[in-house]
Amino acid sequence: MDARTTTYPQEGQLLVKVSDMSMLKDIKKAISMVKGVEQVQIPRRKRLSAYERALRDIEEGRVYEAKDVDDLFKQCLG
């Protein structure tokens, strides 16, 4: 029977999903205190163009169809 050896990568990555963004800095600080952690980064969110935001609004149903401005305000404000 041949002996098997397992090799581990020299470095790895950990993805942490945070639901409360107000805790992000505290979580980053806590993770950076763990032995062996070299770097903790918070990626910047991609900014959507006006066109991409409009497409997202259409997909999520945030679209109004009105006869005139007064009708639009009635729909938006109730």
Side-chain angles (χ1 to χ4, degrees):
M1 182 188 285
D2 294 330
R4 290 187 169 189
T5 58
T6 304
T7 57
Y8 295 99
Q10 293 298 317
E11 63 180 42
Q13 293 183 345
L14 173 67
L15 176 64
V16 178
K17 188 173 182 180
V18 178
S19 61
D20 184 0
M21 294 302 286
S22 66
M23 299 292 296
L24 194 61
K25 287 185 179 182
D26 293 333
I27 293 170
K28 178 182 176 182
K29 185 177 179 182
I31 292 173
S32 65
M33 287 191 232
V34 174
K35 182 180 178 181
V37 173
E38 293 180 8
Q39 183 180 25
V40 179
Q41 289 182 326
I42 301 173
R44 293 185 180 178
R45 290 185 175 226
K46 178 186 171 198
R47 298 191 88 184
L48 298 178
S49 69
Y51 177 73
E52 291 169 322
R53 287 192 309 268
L55 287 178
R56 183 176 286 174
D57 286 342
I58 292 168
E59 289 172 358
E60 295 177 5
R62 292 187 299 261
V63 179
Y64 296 95
E65 191 171 320
K67 299 174 198 169
D68 54 28
V69 174
D70 290 330
D71 186 32
L72 178 65
F73 279 119
K74 284 179 188 175
Q75 289 183 40
C76 294
L77 302 176

